[in-house]
Amino acid sequence: MTDAESTRELIVKYLNHSCTEEELKEFLEMMKDSTASVPELDAAAREYWEKEPEEALTDEIYGRYRQDALRLIRKHSFGRRLKGRWKVSRRIAAVAASIAMVAGAGYFIISDVTERRTAMQLASYSTMETQPGQRRMVELPDGTRVTLNVASSIRYNARYGKDTRDVWLSGEAFFDVESDPECPFLIHAGDLDVRVTGTSFNVNAYPEDRQASVTVKSGKVAVSYGDDDVRMNLHPDEQLVIDTENQSIFRGNAKTGEVLSWMRGTLTLRQQTLPEILKTLRRYYSCNIELRDTTSKVKLSGTHDNKSLESVLQSICFSAGLEYRKEGNKYIIY
């Protein structure tokens, strides 16, 4: 193997985070050597970049997640990657930390390639979702278990578990988070952010609903809303409810078993207006319902255990003093 080939192989191992301690020493010495061929390093790094990406992302896909990627890229620094992922000796880590000062152009070439690869990983997402009427449990790469309620989705990027554990939620989900104090678990749901290290809790954040909520079953959960205007810690059997329409906040005790009843297939209504109830029914039963009486201001509560749609409609209409009929595949409430 020629010196040039050896150099390229070493650079690839460096970028893959697969160097042995001896190889890492060799790489760092090479980077400090002012006689090292920067064009050779450049060529090897760019060759690696061309071969390594798992998939080609279109401009449209990258643009879709660009803001998420830019926000997260700021969390990744060369020093953190060295310290957190290579588990080298303190002496080697100290040498590694000095690369930026002594390596010259070669460092910036490698750093640029690594950052570009990080950006691609941040822009590449895995998405899991449920359709109306469907629930499912999924397991994330770190062992965290997520149960998705109807018409919900969760996504995470290819760097999940490397520096942070960020997920994006639309809808409702129960999280049983694998503990990792050094790598916090972060949920982003619109303007709502939830941060934990290892606990179990429920997040309800359908974008079309006026209310969002976080309910804790075990452990401690840190919640922030908006531009960090709201920041608080929740403990077991506590709940935070945010009215996104009038920006009101309510924190109090929760009947956690009732909140989580959806996981057993139970439909629970809590002081909901008829339009809100119909949105819930569409998610749960994948049905077409139209409300023609828009004057009723009634708010209803109730629990329906695995009942048919028509049984639920009968109960709702009886309580609201309304009637319903079926026209083709549509239900009309009047």
Side-chain angles (χ1 to χ4, degrees):
M1 184 181 295
T2 66
D3 290 343
E5 290 171 338
S6 297
T7 298
R8 283 197 295 272
E9 181 179 346
L10 187 58
I11 292 172
V12 168
K13 285 187 175 182
Y14 174 91
L15 293 172
N16 272 330
H17 296 183
S18 61
C19 283
T20 64
E21 185 167 329
E22 289 303 315
E23 288 170 334
L24 182 55
K25 290 178 184 178
E26 181 184 349
F27 177 80
L28 298 181
E29 289 302 319
M30 178 184 70
M31 293 296 288
K32 289 196 298 180
D33 184 359
S34 61
T35 63
S37 172
V38 172
E40 184 174 273
L41 290 173
D42 187 22
R46 296 189 187 284
E47 176 184 330
Y48 168 80
W49 173 254
E50 293 298 326
K51 292 180 179 179
E52 180 61 19
E54 297 179 358
E55 59 180 290
L57 297 175
T58 65
D59 290 340
E60 178 182 358
I61 294 175
Y62 186 86
R64 179 180 174 188
Y65 298 115
R66 182 174 180 273
Q67 292 304 316
D68 290 339
L70 289 176
R71 183 167 66 84
L72 288 177
I73 285 172
R74 298 189 188 101
K75 299 180 181 178
H76 300 279
S77 67
F78 183 73
R80 281 185 61 190
R81 287 195 296 272
L82 283 174
K83 181 179 179 182
R85 296 300 162 198
W86 282 329
K87 301 180 180 177
V88 298
S89 68
R90 289 187 178 182
R91 188 169 66 83
I92 296 302
V95 175
S98 68
I99 288 179
M101 293 182 287
V102 300
Y107 162 73
F108 293 103
I109 293 167
I110 301 297
S111 179
D112 177 64
V113 170
T114 305
E115 183 170 290
R116 288 167 59 195
R117 181 170 181 237
T118 297
M120 174 168 278
Q121 289 176 327
L122 290 170
S124 175
Y125 283 78
S126 296
T127 302
M128 292 154 287
E129 60 185 2
T130 56
Q131 300 303 315
Q134 178 190 25
R135 299 173 189 82
R136 63 180 291 203
M137 194 277 281
V138 298
E139 186 168 307
L140 302 184
D142 65 335
T144 291
R145 292 174 296 281
V146 182
T147 305
L148 291 171
N149 200 356
V150 295
S152 300
S153 67
I154 188 172
R155 61 184 173 90
Y156 60 91
N157 59 49
R159 290 198 64 81
Y160 179 93
K162 292 182 172 62
D163 300 282
T164 60
R165 295 182 290 169
D166 288 70
V167 299
W168 285 259
L169 171 70
S170 176
E172 184 170 19
F174 176 76
F175 296 85
D176 189 357
V177 178
E178 191 72 15
S179 180
D180 186 351
E182 295 184 359
C183 191
F185 186 85
L186 299 168
I187 300 171
H188 311 285
D191 291 330
L192 182 67
D193 290 321
V194 181
R195 177 188 178 96
V196 304
T197 55
T199 183
S200 60
F201 58 98
N202 192 79
V203 178
N204 186 329
Y206 287 98
E208 65 271 22
D209 287 358
R210 64 178 289 170
Q211 286 192 342
S213 65
V214 180
T215 309
V216 181
K217 181 180 180 182
S218 66
K220 184 173 71 173
V221 173
V223 181
S224 61
Y225 178 73
D227 296 325
D228 287 340
D229 294 332
V230 177
R231 295 176 65 90
M232 62 181 66
N233 292 325
L234 301 178
H235 299 88
D237 297 322
E238 282 192 320
Q239 181 183 64
L240 180 70
V241 179
I242 300 169
D243 191 311
T244 59
E245 190 170 296
N246 60 27
Q247 301 298 301
S248 65
I249 307 292
F250 171 80
R251 176 182 181 176
N253 295 328
K255 296 179 179 178
T256 306
E258 182 179 296
V259 173
L260 300 179
S261 62
W262 64 265
M263 297 176 69
R264 304 188 300 271
T266 299
L267 171 63
T268 302
L269 305 176
R270 306 179 190 88
Q271 284 296 295
Q272 292 176 246
T273 65
L274 287 174
E276 291 169 342
I277 289 173
L278 263 56
K279 282 190 289 188
T280 300
L281 295 181
R282 293 185 187 108
R283 295 180 197 136
Y284 270 69
Y285 294 97
S286 186
C287 59
N288 188 359
I289 306 178
E290 179 183 341
L291 177 64
R292 291 189 177 173
D293 185 332
T294 58
T295 62
S296 177
K297 303 299 181 182
V298 66
K299 292 186 176 182
L300 302 177
S301 297
T303 300
H304 305 273
D305 293 318
N306 299 306
K307 297 290 182 64
S308 67
L309 173 59
E310 296 216 359
S311 176
V312 175
L313 286 175
Q314 289 172 6
S315 175
I316 290 171
C317 288
F318 176 80
S319 299
L322 299 172
E323 296 184 14
Y324 80 93
R325 67 174 183 269
K326 187 174 183 181
E327 294 183 358
N329 63 349
K330 177 189 291 187
Y331 289 91
I332 310 294
I333 296 179
Y334 59 96

